[in-house]
Amino acid sequence: MELLDYIKGPDFPTGGVIYGMSGVRQAYYTGRGMVYMRARSHVETLKNGRENIVVTEIPFLINKSTLLEKIAEQVRDKTIEGLANIRDESGRAGMRIIFEIK
């Protein structure tokens, strides 16, 4: 289909990364398709040698506060281990969620 040559995929307002193109192709060909997305993040190394995971974009229609509550709940229940702290430093400059690693 020629549309894929010009428009590579959907552009969501909150950002995020499309994981795999098969759902996008399916949507272009049939009008229906599932697009899997994940957050955009990077790792920052601090002066003391510890590392932080910094999330700068989350998938479209994901509520940030609900996401942080669910992650904190899983840390308390010991489903997720190795996180010392979760901070939301989002502001005018953009989204910035920090996960401090133990």
Side-chain angles (χ1 to χ4, degrees), residues 1-8:
M1 175 177 261
E2 302 152 11
L3 186 59
L4 279 171
D5 296 334
Y6 299 103
I7 302 173
K8 300 296 181 192

Side-chain angles (χ1 to χ4, degrees), residues 5-60:
D5 296 334
Y6 299 103
I7 302 173
K8 300 296 181 192
D11 181 25
F12 296 109
T14 58
V17 179
I18 295 176
Y19 191 66
M21 290 297 292
S22 62
V24 175
R25 276 192 219 96
Q26 181 107 18
Y28 281 160
Y29 287 118
T30 65
R32 305 188 80 167
M34 294 194 64
V35 178
Y36 294 99
M37 297 187 66
R38 61 181 174 188
R40 185 178 303 266
S41 64
H42 64 276
V43 177
E44 290 181 354
T45 304
L46 303 176
K47 292 178 183 175
N48 61 3
R50 296 180 91 182
E51 293 182 333
N52 289 342
I53 300 171
V54 180
V55 176
T56 55
E57 298 177 6
I58 58 174
F60 186 60

